[in-house]
Amino acid sequence: MNCAISGEVPVEPVVSKKSGLLYEKRLIETHISDFGKCPVTGEPHTIGDIVAIKTGKIVKPKPLHTASIPGLLGTFQTEWDCLMLSNFSLEQQLHTARQELSHALYQHDAACRVIARLKKERDEARQLLAETDRQLPAATDRQLPAAPEVATENATLSNGKRAADGGEQGPDAKKMRLGVSGEVITELTDCNAALSQQRKKRQIPPTLASVDALEKFTQLSSHPLHKTSKPGIFSMDILHSKDVIATGGMDTTAVLFDRQSGQILSTLTGHSKKVTSIKFVGDTDLVLTASSDKTVRIWGSSEGGNYACKHTLKDHTAEVRAVTVHATNKYFVSASLDSTWCFYDMSSGLCLAQVTDDSEKVDYTAAAFHPDGLILGTGTAQSIVKIWDVKSQANVAKFGGHTGEITSVSFSENGYFLATSALDGVRLWDLRKLKNFRTFDFPNANSVEFDHSGSYLGIAASDIRVFQTASVKAEWNPVKTLPDLSGTGRATCVKFGPDAKYVAVGSMDRNLRIFGLPSNDSTEDSAQDS
């Protein structure tokens, strides 16, 4: 049945009591409100004249467009487009979720690495702390019996003082130093007395290479010990008893080389910057290295002939330029560009004293112990050579006259002479009268070295010069000039082998060069000696 007004099936059907006609409720109520009569018969009507009819749910017929194939295809196309749009949105959300997951996994991995590194550093710190705790009581017990005058002397110095005596060194470090105890001073003094007595009886060994032999020296071999990516040998030392040569290079490694076999015995890796100084500790299996990474390392032999780092010393706050070993082989000194030098105990690796000079700020670039062990010579970046009393850590003498940074210092075996090299050349100093008595004008001198007998002096600059030593008044005659075959024009270090039978030279390439007598001349020279 349809509405008498609209002609459509009513949603809310009502019927008139007077006319009996069927209407849509909303339509008839609106018409009665406006006109007050039936829209078909015109009879007067009120809202009370219509009665609602209860019917079942009316289902409207489907739209016309879904009743044809084109209409269905259009509907399907619309649904497909909506599905594709929804799928695209889901893919975008999945891509974003994957990126967030990848970032979270990367952060988790980085956090795990940081945690592992911190745990390792914590374990190393705990180990060092435990070792220090073991060494501290023994060192304190040794220091307690020291005489009051020694303690006073150590506490107040005229020209230099221990940088950490007041418990503070620099703006970012507070370290307590044990000081050089009376027992250590007694040990140094006894060693000095014994060496001085031996020096009076010292004679030049008959096996020492003669001047004629040195004049015939030529390059015997060249050994590429360091990496080509960072060439340069900065320091060298020779263990005469085993004829082993140690070199420190720009490539952050130190190499131990057996000259007789021509083989590399061990490569010491651990420094993060160039190795500036290297020293053997007497005839022991210990090696010291200093580096631009502000650390000093003590190496010892381990299984398989390799060397492992026993101690890493981080007392300096700037590049460490030199290490030098005391004659007792129980103590050593490091010199740094942080204006301090440190006196260490070899066995424990503890810094007993860190010394600075309050009278003037200087950066230490070279250091060497006097053969008797009670005097320390240091070179500075400010062209000054300073002489120190090891027992009191006081500056007892100062030499000026150089131009440029002091690159090397070396004491002669007789204990009378000190040789220093700098950018302006080499100067020789008489330690008895504290004055310069001879100067060699070799610009950019990088190294100066007396041989073990004190008979020869080697200088490394643009080439290598060997001189025969003499007295203060006598002439120091040149013996041999060896060319720098590296092609860099800069020989950085020179050392004499046992009995000056050969000269080892390091340069700014990666090769160690050995100069000596050719095999035929060596055989003839040995026959003449016999």
Side-chain angles (χ1 to χ4, degrees):
M1 299 176 70
N2 297 330
C3 174
I5 299 175
S6 64
E8 295 181 357
V9 178
V11 177
E12 293 183 273
V14 294
V15 66
S16 172
K17 293 179 181 180
K18 294 182 177 182
S19 64
L21 296 175
L22 185 69
Y23 298 101
E24 176 69 50
K25 182 180 180 180
R26 61 181 178 81
L27 296 178
I28 191 60
E29 287 180 350
T30 303
H31 188 81
I32 291 173
S33 297
D34 293 340
F35 303 103
K37 61 182 180 178
C38 176
V40 177
T41 63
E43 297 177 5
H45 271 67
T46 62
I47 298 299
D49 292 332
I50 59 175
V51 179
I53 301 175
K54 294 182 179 180
T55 61
K57 184 178 180 181
I58 299 174
V59 179
K60 294 183 178 181
K62 292 184 179 180
L64 189 61
H65 68 272
T66 59
S68 64
I69 293 177
L72 289 173
L73 292 177
T75 302
F76 293 154
Q77 182 66 48
T78 302
E79 292 293 334
W80 175 261
D81 293 341
C82 293
L83 181 62
M84 290 298 103
L85 288 174
S86 176
N87 186 56
F88 178 73
S89 177
L90 290 175
E91 286 182 352
Q92 282 188 322
Q93 293 176 7
L94 177 61
H95 180 68
T96 303
R98 283 178 174 175
Q99 285 185 328
E100 293 176 353
L101 178 60
S102 176
H103 183 66
L105 290 175
Y106 176 78
Q107 286 184 325
H108 178 267
D109 182 65
C112 290
R113 291 176 183 272
V114 171
I115 292 171
R117 177 174 59 82
L118 291 176
K119 285 183 176 180
K120 182 180 179 181
E121 292 178 355
R122 180 202 62 187
D123 294 340
E124 291 177 353
R126 285 178 175 176
Q127 183 179 358
L128 290 175
L129 180 60
E131 184 178 348
T132 304
D133 289 340
R134 289 195 300 270
Q135 297 291 338
L136 187 59
T140 305
D141 292 342
R142 290 199 306 266
Q143 191 177 8
L144 287 176
E149 56 271 13
V150 174
T152 303
E153 181 181 349
N154 285 341
T156 305
L157 303 176
S158 58
N159 295 323
K161 75 173 185 179
R162 295 195 303 276
D165 278 349
E168 182 174 353
Q169 183 229 335
D172 57 348
K174 291 185 179 180
K175 299 179 181 179
M176 292 298 296
R177 306 300 183 197
L178 298 176
V180 181
S181 66
E183 181 180 344
V184 174
I185 292 176
T186 301
E187 192 173 4
L188 300 181
T189 305
D190 293 343
C191 177
N192 170 265
L195 292 176
S196 299
Q197 191 66 26
Q198 292 176 8
R199 184 166 289 105
K200 295 179 181 178
K201 302 177 182 179
R202 183 183 66 88
Q203 294 181 353
I204 296 178
T207 55
L208 182 71
S210 64
V211 173
D212 293 337
L214 263 71
E215 290 176 347
K216 300 177 183 178
F217 273 17
T218 185
Q219 179 173 314
L220 302 180
S221 59
S222 177
H223 308 278
L225 303 184
H226 293 270
K227 298 177 182 178
T228 56
S229 58
K230 293 183 178 181
I233 297 177
F234 279 94
S235 57
M236 182 194 310
D237 197 20
I238 299 178
L239 181 58
H240 287 187
S241 61
K242 299 180 181 179
D243 205 3
V244 175
I245 303 174
T247 61
M250 182 75 174
D251 60 358
T252 74
T253 66
V255 177
L256 303 185
F257 174 75
D258 185 355
R259 189 191 69 87
Q260 294 184 346
S261 66
Q263 300 295 321
I264 294 178
L265 300 180
S266 183
T267 299
L268 314 183
T269 58
H271 286 294
S272 60
K273 294 184 179 180
K274 66 182 179 183
V275 178
T276 55
S277 182
I278 186 167
K279 290 291 180 183
F280 286 105
V281 182
D283 289 332
T284 68
D285 60 351
L286 297 179
V287 177
L288 302 178
T289 57
S291 172
S292 295
D293 63 8
K294 307 176 187 178
T295 66
V296 176
R297 289 177 179 255
I298 304 176
W299 307 82
S301 62
S302 58
E303 297 179 0
N306 295 320
Y307 277 69
C309 181
K310 294 183 176 295
H311 298 286
T312 300
L313 313 178
K314 302 180 180 180
D315 297 282
H316 289 292
T317 58
E319 177 179 337
V320 185
R321 282 292 188 88
V323 287
T324 179
V325 181
H326 189 267
T328 59
N329 294 326
K330 296 181 179 180
Y331 308 99
F332 71 94
V333 161
S334 64
S336 170
L337 295 182
D338 65 0
S339 303
T340 68
W341 57 266
C342 292
F343 186 87
Y344 286 98
D345 175 74
M346 186 77 69
S347 60
S348 64
L350 291 178
C351 177
L352 302 182
Q354 189 165 13
V355 183
T356 187
D357 192 343
D358 284 342
S359 63
E360 56 183 338
K361 179 178 174 58
V362 292
D363 302 325
Y364 297 105
T365 56
F369 273 111
H370 186 273
D372 291 343
L374 290 184
I375 295 176
L376 176 70
T378 58
T380 69
Q382 288 73 27
S383 311
I384 300 172
V385 179
K386 289 177 174 285
I387 307 298
W388 302 82
D389 178 8
V390 178
K391 293 189 296 182
S392 63
Q393 301 96 59
N395 180 208
V396 295
K398 182 168 62 175
F399 301 143
H402 272 295
T403 301
E405 177 182 299
I406 306 297
T407 55
S408 176
V409 296
S410 178
F411 288 96
S412 67
E413 179 60 25
N414 61 18
Y416 299 151
F417 304 136
L418 171 66
T420 58
S421 62
L423 298 181
D424 62 342
V426 173
R427 290 175 179 262
L428 301 178
W429 309 88
D430 185 354
L431 297 177
R432 294 164 294 186
K433 297 183 179 180
L434 300 179
K435 68 176 185 178
N436 170 231
F437 67 90
R438 185 159 280 99
T439 300
F440 300 108
D441 294 325
F442 298 131
N444 298 317
N446 296 305
S447 178
V448 61
E449 185 74 20
F450 285 100
D451 79 304
H452 191 64
S453 69
S455 302
Y456 301 109
L457 176 69
I459 301 173
S462 58
D463 53 21
I464 301 92
R465 308 289 180 97
V466 179
F467 289 82
Q468 184 180 18
T469 61
S471 62
V472 173
K473 296 182 179 180
E475 190 67 27
W476 292 47
N477 296 318
V479 176
K480 181 68 175 178
T481 299
L482 304 171
D484 174 31
L485 301 178
S486 68
T488 62
R490 182 183 175 190
T492 55
C493 46
V494 58
K495 290 283 183 179
F496 290 93
D499 293 328
K501 295 295 186 182
Y502 66 85
V503 175
V505 176
S507 302
M508 283 307 295
D509 64 349
R510 68 192 187 112
N511 295 310
L512 168 68
R513 290 177 171 80
I514 306 297
F515 294 85
L517 276 176
S519 56
N520 294 336
D521 292 336
S522 178
T523 304
E524 293 176 2
D525 189 65
S526 300
Q528 292 176 0
D529 291 341
S530 59

PDB file of all heavy atoms in Angstrom, residues 63-78:
ATOM      1  N   PRO A  63      18.608  -0.297  -5.779  1.00  0.00           N
ATOM      2  CA  PRO A  63      18.705   0.777  -6.779  1.00  0.00           C
ATOM      3  C   PRO A  63      18.783   0.186  -8.174  1.00  0.00           C
ATOM      4  O   PRO A  63      19.228  -0.943  -8.373  1.00  0.00           O
ATOM      5  CB  PRO A  63      20.004   1.501  -6.393  1.00  0.00           C
ATOM      6  CG  PRO A  63      20.211   1.164  -4.942  1.00  0.00           C
ATOM      7  CD  PRO A  63      19.652  -0.215  -4.759  1.00  0.00           C
ATOM      8  N   LEU A  64      18.460   1.001  -9.073  1.00  0.00           N
ATOM      9  CA  LEU A  64      18.387   0.519 -10.450  1.00  0.00           C
ATOM     10  C   LEU A  64      19.740   0.150 -11.030  1.00  0.00           C
ATOM     11  O   LEU A  64      19.852  -0.787 -11.822  1.00  0.00           O
ATOM     12  CB  LEU A  64      17.713   1.602 -11.309  1.00  0.00           C
ATOM     13  CG  LEU A  64      17.347   1.193 -12.736  1.00  0.00           C
ATOM     14  CD1 LEU A  64      16.346   0.033 -12.708  1.00  0.00           C
ATOM     15  CD2 LEU A  64      16.752   2.382 -13.492  1.00  0.00           C
ATOM     16  N   HIS A  65      20.858   0.849 -10.558  1.00  0.00           N
ATOM     17  CA  HIS A  65      22.154   0.607 -11.185  1.00  0.00           C
ATOM     18  C   HIS A  65      22.736  -0.762 -10.821  1.00  0.00           C
ATOM     19  O   HIS A  65      23.619  -1.274 -11.499  1.00  0.00           O
ATOM     20  CB  HIS A  65      23.157   1.721 -10.807  1.00  0.00           C
ATOM     21  CG  HIS A  65      23.547   1.703  -9.356  1.00  0.00           C
ATOM     22  ND1 HIS A  65      22.803   2.383  -8.415  1.00  0.00           N
ATOM     23  CD2 HIS A  65      24.568   1.100  -8.691  1.00  0.00           C
ATOM     24  CE1 HIS A  65      23.358   2.206  -7.232  1.00  0.00           C
ATOM     25  NE2 HIS A  65      24.429   1.420  -7.365  1.00  0.00           N
ATOM     26  N   THR A  66      22.296  -1.394  -9.716  1.00  0.00           N
ATOM     27  CA  THR A  66      22.809  -2.717  -9.356  1.00  0.00           C
ATOM     28  C   THR A  66      22.034  -3.839 -10.030  1.00  0.00           C
ATOM     29  O   THR A  66      22.318  -5.006  -9.829  1.00  0.00           O
ATOM     30  CB  THR A  66      22.720  -2.914  -7.836  1.00  0.00           C
ATOM     31  OG1 THR A  66      21.358  -2.789  -7.418  1.00  0.00           O
ATOM     32  CG2 THR A  66      23.592  -1.904  -7.107  1.00  0.00           C
ATOM     33  N   ALA A  67      21.054  -3.474 -10.803  1.00  0.00           N
ATOM     34  CA  ALA A  67      20.249  -4.478 -11.491  1.00  0.00           C
ATOM     35  C   ALA A  67      20.749  -4.766 -12.890  1.00  0.00           C
ATOM     36  O   ALA A  67      20.134  -5.532 -13.627  1.00  0.00           O
ATOM     37  CB  ALA A  67      18.787  -4.029 -11.550  1.00  0.00           C
ATOM     38  N   SER A  68      21.891  -4.122 -13.285  1.00  0.00           N
ATOM     39  CA  SER A  68      22.461  -4.337 -14.616  1.00  0.00           C
ATOM     40  C   SER A  68      23.934  -4.701 -14.507  1.00  0.00           C
ATOM     41  O   SER A  68      24.595  -4.427 -13.498  1.00  0.00           O
ATOM     42  CB  SER A  68      22.290  -3.064 -15.464  1.00  0.00           C
ATOM     43  OG  SER A  68      23.021  -1.998 -14.894  1.00  0.00           O
ATOM     44  N   ILE A  69      24.466  -5.330 -15.540  1.00  0.00           N
ATOM     45  CA  ILE A  69      25.889  -5.755 -15.556  1.00  0.00           C
ATOM     46  C   ILE A  69      26.831  -4.546 -15.498  1.00  0.00           C
ATOM     47  O   ILE A  69      27.782  -4.540 -14.723  1.00  0.00           O
ATOM     48  CB  ILE A  69      26.163  -6.625 -16.794  1.00  0.00           C
ATOM     49  CG1 ILE A  69      25.406  -7.939 -16.660  1.00  0.00           C
ATOM     50  CG2 ILE A  69      27.657  -6.855 -16.949  1.00  0.00           C
ATOM     51  CD1 ILE A  69      25.545  -8.848 -17.851  1.00  0.00           C
ATOM     52  N   PRO A  70      26.608  -3.476 -16.261  1.00  0.00           N
ATOM     53  CA  PRO A  70      27.501  -2.305 -16.119  1.00  0.00           C
ATOM     54  C   PRO A  70      27.470  -1.720 -14.720  1.00  0.00           C
ATOM     55  O   PRO A  70      28.491  -1.284 -14.185  1.00  0.00           O
ATOM     56  CB  PRO A  70      26.943  -1.316 -17.151  1.00  0.00           C
ATOM     57  CG  PRO A  70      26.278  -2.178 -18.160  1.00  0.00           C
ATOM     58  CD  PRO A  70      25.675  -3.314 -17.400  1.00  0.00           C
ATOM     59  N   GLY A  71      26.296  -1.721 -14.129  1.00  0.00           N
ATOM     60  CA  GLY A  71      26.218  -1.202 -12.766  1.00  0.00           C
ATOM     61  C   GLY A  71      27.015  -2.048 -11.786  1.00  0.00           C
ATOM     62  O   GLY A  71      27.699  -1.535 -10.892  1.00  0.00           O
ATOM     63  N   LEU A  72      26.901  -3.380 -11.935  1.00  0.00           N
ATOM     64  CA  LEU A  72      27.678  -4.277 -11.067  1.00  0.00           C
ATOM     65  C   LEU A  72      29.179  -4.092 -11.262  1.00  0.00           C
ATOM     66  O   LEU A  72      29.956  -4.101 -10.303  1.00  0.00           O
ATOM     67  CB  LEU A  72      27.269  -5.729 -11.343  1.00  0.00           C
ATOM     68  CG  LEU A  72      25.879  -6.148 -10.862  1.00  0.00           C
ATOM     69  CD1 LEU A  72      25.550  -7.550 -11.348  1.00  0.00           C
ATOM     70  CD2 LEU A  72      25.796  -6.080  -9.343  1.00  0.00           C
ATOM     71  N   LEU A  73      29.596  -3.954 -12.527  1.00  0.00           N
ATOM     72  CA  LEU A  73      31.023  -3.751 -12.799  1.00  0.00           C
ATOM     73  C   LEU A  73      31.521  -2.467 -12.149  1.00  0.00           C
ATOM     74  O   LEU A  73      32.624  -2.390 -11.610  1.00  0.00           O
ATOM     75  CB  LEU A  73      31.272  -3.715 -14.307  1.00  0.00           C
ATOM     76  CG  LEU A  73      31.067  -5.044 -15.055  1.00  0.00           C
ATOM     77  CD1 LEU A  73      31.271  -4.858 -16.556  1.00  0.00           C
ATOM     78  CD2 LEU A  73      32.041  -6.099 -14.525  1.00  0.00           C
ATOM     79  N   GLY A  74      30.672  -1.409 -12.209  1.00  0.00           N
ATOM     80  CA  GLY A  74      31.073  -0.160 -11.554  1.00  0.00           C
ATOM     81  C   GLY A  74      31.202  -0.315 -10.055  1.00  0.00           C
ATOM     82  O   GLY A  74      32.131   0.232  -9.426  1.00  0.00           O
ATOM     83  N   THR A  75      30.266  -1.082  -9.481  1.00  0.00           N
ATOM     84  CA  THR A  75      30.342  -1.325  -8.033  1.00  0.00           C
ATOM     85  C   THR A  75      31.605  -2.091  -7.661  1.00  0.00           C
ATOM     86  O   THR A  75      32.307  -1.765  -6.701  1.00  0.00           O
ATOM     87  CB  THR A  75      29.093  -2.099  -7.581  1.00  0.00           C
ATOM     88  OG1 THR A  75      27.920  -1.350  -7.923  1.00  0.00           O
ATOM     89  CG2 THR A  75      29.141  -2.346  -6.080  1.00  0.00           C
ATOM     90  N   PHE A  76      31.860  -3.147  -8.476  1.00  0.00           N
ATOM     91  CA  PHE A  76      33.090  -3.927  -8.220  1.00  0.00           C
ATOM     92  C   PHE A  76      34.350  -3.062  -8.354  1.00  0.00           C
ATOM     93  O   PHE A  76      35.314  -3.196  -7.584  1.00  0.00           O
ATOM     94  CB  PHE A  76      33.171  -5.108  -9.186  1.00  0.00           C
ATOM     95  CG  PHE A  76      32.106  -6.156  -8.967  1.00  0.00           C
ATOM     96  CD1 PHE A  76      31.689  -6.981 -10.010  1.00  0.00           C
ATOM     97  CD2 PHE A  76      31.525  -6.313  -7.715  1.00  0.00           C
ATOM     98  CE1 PHE A  76      30.710  -7.936  -9.802  1.00  0.00           C
ATOM     99  CE2 PHE A  76      30.546  -7.265  -7.504  1.00  0.00           C
ATOM    100  CZ  PHE A  76      30.135  -8.084  -8.551  1.00  0.00           C
ATOM    101  N   GLN A  77      34.387  -2.162  -9.350  1.00  0.00           N
ATOM    102  CA  GLN A  77      35.551  -1.292  -9.547  1.00  0.00           C
ATOM    103  C   GLN A  77      35.755  -0.392  -8.344  1.00  0.00           C
ATOM    104  O   GLN A  77      36.885  -0.184  -7.869  1.00  0.00           O
ATOM    105  CB  GLN A  77      35.356  -0.442 -10.809  1.00  0.00           C
ATOM    106  CG  GLN A  77      36.549   0.476 -11.124  1.00  0.00           C
ATOM    107  CD  GLN A  77      37.777  -0.325 -11.487  1.00  0.00           C
ATOM    108  OE1 GLN A  77      37.700  -1.243 -12.315  1.00  0.00           O
ATOM    109  NE2 GLN A  77      38.919   0.009 -10.891  1.00  0.00           N
ATOM    110  N   THR A  78      34.622   0.136  -7.820  1.00  0.00           N
ATOM    111  CA  THR A  78      34.717   1.001  -6.639  1.00  0.00           C
ATOM    112  C   THR A  78      35.272   0.233  -5.443  1.00  0.00           C
ATOM    113  O   THR A  78      36.148   0.714  -4.706  1.00  0.00           O
ATOM    114  CB  THR A  78      33.345   1.584  -6.305  1.00  0.00           C
ATOM    115  OG1 THR A  78      32.842   2.312  -7.444  1.00  0.00           O
ATOM    116  CG2 THR A  78      33.424   2.512  -5.107  1.00  0.00           C
TER     117      THR A  78
END
